[in-house]
Amino acid sequence: MSRKVFRQLSDEALLKHYRETRKPAVFHLLYARHKDALYRYCVQLAPASTEQLLGDLWQDILERPPQLDRHLLRNWLFIQVNILLSKQANRSCEAQTYNRTQQGTVLSTIQKLPAKQRNVLLLYVECRLSLATIADIERISLKTCRELYHSAREAVEIQIYGTHRKPWQVQTIEE
């Protein structure tokens, strides 16, 4: 197959072809399609171990291409990263030494969110996954996922812009 044909194939078809042929060019195309989104997602959740985590994931895929079991490759990748992040969090409960004072306000605010809210917000905003896919990744209901997203977004907006003004509430000054 030519490179042009490879580019037109879906991720799942490319993975199947890679599993059958083990051609590095096919793997490289899959890697190029997904590396940036996975990196942005991981670096915001676990900045100190992103390179190691993603290196292990891609090495595992390179050596043992997965069976997707009705998942899209993109979704499967985020599920695997989420599993690896959970295992890492369970292994090391100590706080990460990460200098928040040098971070931007938005990133700092996102990192202060509870883990579930942060994960849902990042998957939706950074990785452009649907809420239904995120609910599947997090193993929660769609309603809960939607609530987590809206509460995370509201918390970030309040932290950055302050509380919403309520012009209908008139303050009277008594003398």
Side-chain angles (χ1 to χ4, degrees), residues 156-173:
V156 169
E157 286 178 3
I158 288 173
Q159 185 66 30
I160 293 171
Y161 302 115
T163 58
H164 298 293
R165 297 191 69 196
K166 298 176 183 168
W168 59 88
Q169 292 180 343
V170 178
Q171 294 181 353
T172 59
I173 301 174

Side-chain angles (χ1 to χ4, degrees), residues 98-166:
Y98 194 69
N99 191 351
R100 293 178 193 240
T101 58
Q102 295 177 352
Q103 295 298 312
T105 307
V106 175
L107 183 58
S108 174
T109 302
I110 289 172
Q111 289 175 341
K112 291 176 187 174
L113 290 172
K116 282 272 194 207
Q117 282 184 335
R118 181 177 62 232
N119 205 20
V120 168
L121 182 69
L122 291 174
L123 285 170
Y124 186 79
V125 174
E126 286 293 325
C127 304
R128 295 184 178 102
L129 296 177
S130 69
L131 288 175
T133 301
I134 297 168
D136 185 36
I137 290 170
E138 289 290 328
R139 295 186 175 118
I140 56 177
S141 71
L142 180 58
K143 180 182 178 187
T144 304
C145 184
R146 190 176 292 119
E147 290 169 355
L148 285 170
Y149 168 71
H150 288 297
S151 63
R153 186 171 173 182
E154 185 178 322
V156 169
E157 286 178 3
I158 288 173
Q159 185 66 30
I160 293 171
Y161 302 115
T163 58
H164 298 293
R165 297 191 69 196
K166 298 176 183 168

Side-chain angles (χ1 to χ4, degrees), residues 35-121:
K35 67 181 173 82
D36 293 335
L38 285 172
Y39 181 80
R40 283 192 309 268
Y41 174 66
C42 283
V43 81
Q44 294 186 43
L45 292 175
S49 59
T50 295
E51 290 179 26
Q52 179 67 38
L53 187 131
L54 289 177
D56 292 346
L57 175 68
W58 288 114
Q59 186 66 34
D60 191 42
I61 294 170
L62 184 62
E63 294 171 0
R64 293 178 299 282
Q67 294 288 345
L68 297 179
D69 300 325
R70 300 183 330 255
H71 287 288
L72 297 175
L73 178 63
R74 179 182 172 104
N75 297 353
W76 184 88
L77 287 168
F78 282 104
I79 289 170
Q80 296 308 308
V81 166
N82 198 28
I83 290 170
L84 291 172
L85 286 168
S86 297
K87 286 179 182 176
Q88 178 190 24
N90 290 339
R91 277 194 310 258
S92 64
C93 293
E94 72 249 12
Q96 292 180 350
T97 57
Y98 194 69
N99 191 351
R100 293 178 193 240
T101 58
Q102 295 177 352
Q103 295 298 312
T105 307
V106 175
L107 183 58
S108 174
T109 302
I110 289 172
Q111 289 175 341
K112 291 176 187 174
L113 290 172
K116 282 272 194 207
Q117 282 184 335
R118 181 177 62 232
N119 205 20
V120 168
L121 182 69

